[in-house]
Amino acid sequence: VCLTCCSRDVMVKINQICHKTGVKFFTGDVFGYHGYMFADLGDHEFVEEKTKVTKVAPSVEDGPDTKKAKLDSSETTMVKK
């Protein structure tokens, strides 16, 4: 359910109905440069893309910076939450 341009009382009442029945609820509005958005998704699953972290083996010639883990932006993993 998506709502806009409603009073606070109407939004709260419809959100409570949606929450009880397991329906996802979104509401929002804009007032010039300012606005708001609210989402009640209840229990839900989503997938987040994570950049793979690789550890570099230190060599004799390299300084202490090479011992830190480095991000490999070319490899990503999808994590379900």
Side-chain angles (χ1 to χ4, degrees), residues 23-53:
V23 175
K24 293 171 180 29
F25 175 79
F26 297 87
T27 186
D29 210 341
V30 178
F31 310 100
Y33 289 112
H34 302 283
Y36 68 91
M37 184 271 196
F38 173 77
D40 183 357
L41 304 177
D43 292 330
H44 68 284
E45 295 179 349
F46 62 95
V47 177
E48 184 178 7
E49 188 175 4
K50 295 271 188 174
T51 304
K52 187 174 181 181
V53 177

Side-chain angles (χ1 to χ4, degrees), residues 2-79:
C2 296
L3 287 180
T4 186
C5 301
C6 294
S7 69
R8 182 184 178 281
D9 294 336
V10 171
M11 288 186 276
V12 170
K13 185 173 183 174
I14 294 176
N15 180 45
Q16 289 172 345
I17 294 168
C18 290
H19 190 78
K20 287 178 187 175
T21 58
V23 175
K24 293 171 180 29
F25 175 79
F26 297 87
T27 186
D29 210 341
V30 178
F31 310 100
Y33 289 112
H34 302 283
Y36 68 91
M37 184 271 196
F38 173 77
D40 183 357
L41 304 177
D43 292 330
H44 68 284
E45 295 179 349
F46 62 95
V47 177
E48 184 178 7
E49 188 175 4
K50 295 271 188 174
T51 304
K52 187 174 181 181
V53 177
T54 57
K55 292 187 179 180
V56 178
S59 65
V60 179
E61 299 172 4
D62 295 331
D65 290 339
T66 58
K67 294 181 183 178
K68 296 178 183 175
K70 295 188 178 183
L71 295 177
D72 184 6
S73 61
S74 62
E75 292 188 43
T76 59
T77 309
M78 302 304 264
V79 180

